Every structure is written in C-alpha cells, then in structure tokens.
Amino acid sequence: MSAEGDLMHRIAGFVRWCGALLLALASGVSTAKAEEAAPPPVSALTAEDFGRLPYIEMARLSPDGGRMVGLLAIAGVQRIAVVSLFEGGQKPILIGLGEKVDVESIRWVNDDQIVATVYAQQDVEGNLWYVSRLIGIDAHTGKITRLLWNHNGQNGADIIWLPSDGSNSILVAAQDSIYEGEDFWPTVYSVDVSNGHSKTVEKGRAGVMNWAADWSGKVRTGVAYTDNNRSFRLFYRNEGDVAFRTIDRASSRKRETLLDPVAFVPGTDDAIVIHEKDDGATGVYETNLMTQEDVRTIYTAPAGSEIEDTIVSRDGKTLLGVTTGGPTGTIHWIDPTLADLQAAFDKSVPGRSAHILSFNGDRSRMLVLVDRPDSPGLLYFFDVRDGRLQKLSAMNPTLGFRLLSPVRSITYKARDGLEIEGILTLPADRDPRRLPIVIMPHGGPWAYDSLSYDSWAQFVASRGYAVLQPNFRGSTGFGGDFTHKGEGEMGLAMQDDLSDALKWAVSQGIADPARACIVGASYGGYAAMWGIAKDPGEWRCAISIAGISSLSKDARGFDDQLMGNLAKDDWKRMTPDFAAVSPINAVDRIKTPLLLIHGDKDARVDVSQSRNMYAKMRDAGKTVEFIELDGADHHLAREVDRVAVLKAMESFLARYNPAGAPAAAATAAH
C-alpha cells in the first residue's frame, strides 16, 4: 500500500472509531452523561460564565507532536503553558508575564525552544504606544531569554523566518530607534533564541519597514514606503544575488497595490502571491516576480468572499492552504492529504465545524477545534497513526459543549437594493416573535462578523434579546467591491444599513420595532452613538464601548504614525465631512439613553473620545452614563474587564429596554 493509501486507510479507521462519539456530541449531550440532570437554562448563566477568557488560545504543537504550547487561562489570568500530551511526559510549565504584558503569538523554533511575541503599552513622549519584543523560552525548563531587548525601537519583534532543521537561530527585523534616521528602519538580525546572541544579516535601509525571507533564510524582498507621496517600492533579489533591485512600484493614491510574496518557489524567480483581479475576485497565484506575470492560478476565492491569509509548510516551500472570509469563512486546503482529512472530520461532526489549528512537523499529529456558532467548542488531539481524537479541554469549561442560543446567517436588502449579510442570534428559551432586539455592528469598520461563536451575542441573547450583527457595506470578507461600497458612506448609507437590518427583523416578525437598541465597540461604538443622533426615533437605548465620538479627532491621531497620511487617506475616503457625521456634534438631536464604556489604557481609541461625549451629553441634560475601566485596553484583554462590560450591558438593557419574562419556548430551538 502506498503512503497516501495508508494514510487514507488510517483516516477511514478514524471516522469509524470516533463517529458515534462525535455524533453524540453533536446532539449536545455526552453518552456517558445522558442520564444526568439537565443543565440549567441558558438564561441562568451569568456574565462571569460568558466573560471567561478562553481556556487556551494560540495552541501550537511541537515539531515532534509530543507537546503543546499556548496561552492557558487560570483564575482569569493568562499564562504561557507548555504541556506534555502523553502520560509520563514532563510536568506542565507555566510562565506568567504580568498584567501589563500581552502575548501576540507563540511559535515553536524546534522541539526544545519556543519564541513568543509580547507587547506592552508604554508612555512615549506623552503618548501611549504599543511596544513589541521577543522572548525565547526553554521548553524543558521554562527559562526565559530576552531577545533584542537592548534595542530602542518600537517594533523589535518581526519574525521573518524560522528554521526547520532543529537549529536555534531565527531571523528578526527590529527597529533600533523611535526617531527617524538610520537606526529607525528595521535591521534584520539572526538571533539565537537559546542565549539571545545576535548578528546583523541585512542592514536597514531608508523607507523599508517590511522584509521577507525565503525557505533557506535568505532575505529576498523589502517593501519601502514614502508617506509624503503615498508611494511603495518592492526590492527583490533572487537566490544567487547579493544586491537588491526595484521590481515594482505602486501609488495608494491611484489605488495600486504591490506584489506581496507569501512564499518563494525554490530555484526560480517565482513566488506565491495574493492579488485581486480586475473583476474584483481575489486569488492565490504563482507569479514571476521579474516579469510580474502569473505562471499559474492556485486558488480563486468564491464570489462574495475573499482570501485573507495563507498556510505554508514548516519548511517554507509548500503552500498548504488558504483562509477565506465571508459568513462561513474557512480554510481551503491545497494539500490533498489535509483536504481529505478535513473532509473526514467534517463528515464526522455534522452540524459542527472542525478546525485544524496546528500540526507537527510531518503533519501526522494535530490539534482540532470542534465547535459551532452556539457553542464555544472543545479542543482535541488527533494522531493520524492511530486514528484517535482525544479531548484536551473545553474552550469554556463552564459552558462545555452545551448548545446555547441558535445562530444563523441571513441576508436582507438595503434601501438602495444592495444585499447585506448578517448574523442572527435568537434566545433559546423564547418564542422568536416580536422580541426586543439589539443591533450589534462590528468594529473596524474594515472587519466582519462570521458564523462563529460570539460571547457578546450569546450573552445578550441569553437575556431574552434577538441579536442581529449586520455586515454593512464597507465590511471586509466579501470581496473588494463590497468593501469599496463603504467609501463616502460612513454615517450615511453605512448607517442606513443598520437601520435596514432592524426593518428586516421587524418585517420577519422577529423584532418589536418599539424595543430596539444598538450596541457596538470601537467603530461599532461610533455607529451606536451616531445611530441615536441620526435616527433618534428608532432606538430605545445605545451602548458604546471604546467608541469614536469625534471622527476628525480620531483622524488627527494618525499624525504621529509612520504611515499616517496613508491612514488619513483611507479614513477620509469614508466620509466627505467628518464633523457632519460625528456624534459629539449632534448631541442636541439625541433623545435616547446612552451608556459609554471605555478603558483608560486604550491606545487605539483614546478614552477622551468617551469622556468628552459624556461631558457634552451631561451638560445638555441628556440621559447618559459612563463607566471608565481602570487599566483596560482597547481589546479588553483581561477577564475582569470582559465581565464588567457584560454586567454593564445587562443592567443598562434591563433598565431601558427590558426583555421581560420568557414567553413560550419555540418548538425546536435548534
């Protein structure tokens, strides 16, 4: 039997072995617990239950597949944990970095060494900055080695290459100063993660902020940017060259984009790139960098979707898969073995989704998350060689694998005929007719909500509300054309899309038009505030978490950024007049109670945005409340902040848009 045939034989065995178990899980009960008392109703779960940090995040398998590293949540605090997956293995290693340090990524360098990207907020000349650094971790002892911490730049943690041969040295691009000059532009260093020793590989050059290396660890491309004229240049050298040459130019003012290599094809000038065709479709192509002509098409995203990222083999030579956006964003596996394995997983978990999160060096062992939009899911370990799925943990131990409030994708037409996709969550224990409703726009606005587990939507639904999350025009994930439709429409058609979502829910008999509130964070917080100013008669209340009250003030926040003019251009394209659609300039039109929540350590949207809105609302005699979270950042990284936000939302909604007692439950909630 061939190796491929043997693998498929093992996969088939896996399906037979675990099919009955996973089918039982898909029904929401465990075969071992079928006779136990039913769990409490969803409405009895608390803010603490929904606000828990995921039990583990960033879970990654070691190259040999024997251990796992990730962020483990213990008593509401995350720690880096190294855990053996087999009996008799080493004791777990727990590493705490303190509340002020957040972990952005964790990666195995080899079976003995781990590298983690960490960042913290730091006061730099009176402004809060996110400063990034790297730490090396001995996977056997937990010893931490600081990497390039003697450098003084803001970003010292851009990993551009990891070895696949078991060696300890990685390539890192790091700034050496915060002041523009020779040391400001990142230099590429070879860094030994076991002892912190480093040497210069590629000296920084003016304008180049991003470097990329090939499978062998040779730096092959650099991207330079000039903010004054919004121009980009792509520097390139092939395998045998020493000098770089400019091979591509682009102007953001002309809406041009550079080639963006994600992997290099050995022995050629070809690279794997993602780019958009003239018809708006995004695809992955093998492209000759010198001629800039596509050699072959590898994958094209379906209509109404777009490619977001790629998955490349550990040795950097092979494209394994691509991730796509849209309501059911997923991984499309290019590698046939992984594609077959994914199909086997999908067949075994009807009604749920199986996500391959990580695999070892030869892809024979992997971590698999099995979840669904109404359940945070379970993490499993899978070994192709014995075909066994072994449960490691529930992502939320309190909720386990129980089913919560049902979720589905819907579409509706905006008033100008544009079709909008949204995510609808209905309370599990109520008749889904004429419910109080919360419209919950996402942040960004360059983001989207997908058909996946959402703790905020589930919590609000558990309190008796329908929750509708519209992917309004301007959202990403649905193709470039849809994103561009938001340009010039911030506060205008983008806001109308939210009102039209409410109208759709009313027309379907789901929502009571007299009991609608709007709740959002970041851009969603702006939309909540602007909604009650633009259409005050539609909403009974609004909640803004870290929202923007003054668009012009937020735009001025780009002044000190390296690509500030580019960011300003993107922002200015969204509306012709910042002041005309800023909530703080329309307080006199607001008749609706407003709750403002903001962390005082928010480095993305300054807390003054909420402080100023609160002061102006209060001085105008409007109904307004403000909760300032001490020590909270923009992303609410701490469990205590997540719980506090949910409790505040629950109390405010109960006062200004009470859901009342549950009506008769629907015949079939799921």
Side-chain angles (χ1 to χ4, degrees):
M1 181 181 295
S2 67
E4 182 176 348
D6 180 60
L7 176 62
M8 291 309 300
H9 176 73
R10 294 178 189 274
I11 292 174
F14 144 66
V15 174
R16 291 192 298 272
W17 183 86
C18 69
L21 170 62
L22 294 181
L23 283 170
L25 290 173
S27 71
V29 297
S30 166
T31 53
K33 298 183 178 180
E35 296 180 1
E36 292 184 6
V42 172
S43 58
L45 296 170
T46 66
E48 286 82 2
D49 297 331
F50 286 94
R52 294 188 64 165
L53 291 168
Y55 183 70
I56 190 165
E57 290 186 305
M58 305 180 193
R60 296 291 181 265
L61 274 183
S62 59
D64 64 6
R67 286 173 296 173
M68 173 181 68
V69 67
L71 277 182
L72 199 67
I74 301 174
V77 177
Q78 288 185 320
R79 294 177 174 87
I80 296 176
V82 185
V83 181
S84 175
L85 299 175
F86 300 99
E87 292 185 10
Q90 71 180 49
K91 293 182 179 179
I93 294 173
L94 298 177
I95 300 168
L97 299 175
E99 276 194 3
K100 295 184 178 180
V101 177
D102 292 306
V103 180
E104 186 176 81
S105 69
I106 312 173
R107 302 167 73 177
W108 290 89
V109 177
N110 51 47
D111 288 319
D112 304 311
Q113 300 292 331
I114 296 164
V115 62
T117 302
V118 300
Y119 64 93
Q121 290 183 336
Q122 185 171 326
D123 187 290
V124 179
E125 297 185 350
N127 296 309
L128 274 180
W129 287 20
Y130 282 109
V131 177
S132 63
R133 291 293 184 266
L134 293 174
I135 59 172
I137 302 170
D138 188 301
H140 301 286
T141 66
K143 176 187 174 184
I144 289 178
T145 302
R146 294 182 174 186
L147 309 177
L148 301 177
W149 280 42
N150 59 326
H151 296 248
N152 296 314
Q154 180 179 7
N155 181 5
D158 184 10
I159 300 172
I160 66 171
W161 178 79
L162 292 172
S164 59
D165 61 359
S167 57
N168 291 332
S169 292
I170 65 176
L171 292 186
V172 181
Q175 293 175 279
D176 297 324
S177 173
I178 63 170
Y179 300 105
E180 191 164 336
E182 182 179 351
D183 293 334
F184 177 81
W185 308 105
T187 290
V188 179
Y189 298 95
S190 174
V191 184
D192 188 322
V193 297
S194 68
N195 56 31
H197 294 168
S198 65
K199 61 181 180 181
T200 299
V201 171
E202 197 68 47
K203 184 65 178 173
R205 60 171 63 193
V208 176
M209 283 300 294
N210 298 296
W211 295 100
D214 66 14
W215 71 96
S216 69
K218 180 173 182 175
V219 179
R220 298 286 295 277
T221 61
V223 176
Y225 172 71
T226 304
D227 202 36
N228 287 339
N229 60 8
R230 283 69 151 181
S231 64
F232 292 87
R233 290 173 293 157
L234 178 65
F235 296 107
Y236 169 73
R237 66 182 177 192
N238 65 27
E239 291 181 45
D241 283 346
V242 174
F244 287 91
R245 69 186 82 178
T246 301
I247 63 167
D248 194 15
R249 298 176 185 270
S251 168
S252 70
R253 285 174 169 168
K254 298 178 182 178
R255 312 303 291 269
E256 297 170 341
T257 57
L258 284 180
L259 292 173
D260 184 18
V262 297
F264 297 87
V265 180
T268 73
D269 283 316
D270 294 353
I272 307 301
V273 302
I274 301 171
H275 62 76
E276 186 175 304
K277 291 293 191 179
D278 292 338
D279 60 2
T282 58
V284 181
Y285 306 89
E286 181 178 337
T287 302
N288 184 284
L289 294 177
M290 296 303 298
T291 66
Q292 300 181 29
E293 294 181 354
D294 295 335
V295 175
R296 64 187 177 103
T297 300
I298 299 173
Y299 178 77
T300 302
S305 180
E306 64 187 58
I307 293 170
E308 297 187 322
D309 204 356
T310 56
I311 302 170
V312 179
S313 61
R314 182 172 174 79
D315 64 10
K317 295 181 180 181
T318 306
L319 178 68
L320 301 177
V322 300
T323 60
T324 57
T328 56
T330 186
I331 296 175
H332 175 86
W333 294 108
I334 306 297
D335 178 80
T337 300
L338 288 171
D340 290 339
L341 187 57
Q342 181 69 63
F345 282 130
D346 293 341
K347 185 177 180 181
S348 300
V349 289
R352 295 186 183 272
S353 298
H355 312 274
I356 300 174
L357 301 181
S358 176
F359 34 70
N360 66 333
D362 65 6
R363 303 193 286 279
S364 62
R365 292 172 171 173
M366 52 198 67
L367 298 174
V368 181
L369 174 66
V370 177
D371 68 355
R372 52 186 281 167
D374 55 1
S375 175
L378 302 179
L379 181 66
Y380 290 89
F381 173 76
F382 175 68
D383 192 325
V384 172
R385 288 165 288 199
D386 63 13
R388 294 174 63 88
L389 263 179
Q390 301 177 55
K391 175 184 169 183
L392 297 178
S393 68
M395 298 306 287
N396 182 322
T398 301
L399 303 180
F401 218 21
R402 67 178 295 172
L403 302 186
L404 301 169
S405 296
V407 187
R408 61 186 171 96
S409 175
I410 61 95
T411 58
Y412 64 94
K413 284 193 175 181
R415 62 193 66 183
D416 63 356
L418 181 65
E419 190 168 271
I420 307 288
E421 186 270 345
I423 306 299
L424 177 66
T425 305
L426 296 172
D429 57 355
R430 300 195 179 220
D431 187 333
R433 291 176 293 185
R434 292 188 64 80
L435 292 166
I437 188 170
V438 169
I439 302 297
M440 191 178 287
H442 60 70
W446 301 288
Y448 66 94
D449 284 312
S450 63
L451 202 60
S452 58
Y453 178 75
D454 186 307
S455 60
W456 280 17
Q458 284 292 332
F459 176 72
V460 173
S462 76
R463 271 46 201 161
Y465 302 88
V467 180
L468 181 51
Q469 299 166 277
N471 284 310
F472 45 85
R473 71 190 69 203
S475 300
T476 55
F478 301 89
D481 287 347
F482 188 82
T483 301
H484 294 323
K485 288 185 184 300
E487 294 178 0
E489 298 297 345
M490 184 181 291
L492 304 172
M494 286 172 66
Q495 194 72 33
D496 291 339
D497 291 345
L498 307 182
S499 296
D500 292 343
L502 172 60
K503 290 181 175 66
W504 174 87
V506 171
S507 72
Q508 300 298 305
I510 295 169
D512 181 345
R515 295 194 292 164
C517 289
I518 182 168
V519 177
S522 197
Y523 173 83
Y526 158 78
M529 290 186 282
W530 182 241
I532 60 174
K534 181 178 183 293
D535 302 300
E538 289 187 348
W539 312 103
R540 285 188 65 168
C541 64
I543 302 175
S544 167
I545 301 102
I548 304 163
S549 61
S550 172
L551 292 174
S552 57
K553 184 176 181 180
D554 192 64
R556 288 197 297 272
F558 298 124
D559 288 343
D560 296 329
Q561 295 186 15
L562 177 66
M563 303 173 76
N565 285 329
L566 180 64
K568 281 185 179 180
D569 288 348
D570 289 340
W571 204 229
K572 288 178 180 177
R573 286 192 185 106
M574 299 305 293
T575 182
D577 188 341
F578 287 142
V581 291
S582 288
I584 202 163
N585 297 328
V587 166
D588 60 316
R589 288 156 37 191
I590 295 176
K591 302 179 177 64
T592 304
L594 171 65
L595 170 64
L596 300 161
I597 306 173
H598 215 128
D600 67 356
K601 293 298 187 289
D602 191 332
R604 173 58 191 94
V605 177
D606 192 82
V607 66
S608 63
Q609 292 273 2
S610 290
R611 288 174 180 168
N612 294 342
M613 186 68 179
Y614 172 68
K616 196 158 186 179
M617 287 277 290
R618 181 195 56 203
D619 292 346
K622 307 293 182 176
T623 302
V624 62
E625 298 176 23
F626 180 33
I627 298 174
E628 188 167 316
L629 299 173
D630 183 26
D633 64 10
H634 188 69
H635 307 288
L636 302 175
R638 304 181 306 181
E639 184 172 303
V640 63
D641 299 323
R642 299 184 184 195
V643 172
V645 168
L646 293 182
K647 286 184 173 180
M649 289 168 60
E650 178 180 23
S651 175
F652 193 79
L653 289 172
R655 270 180 290 144
Y656 294 107
N657 193 22
T667 304
H670 298 277

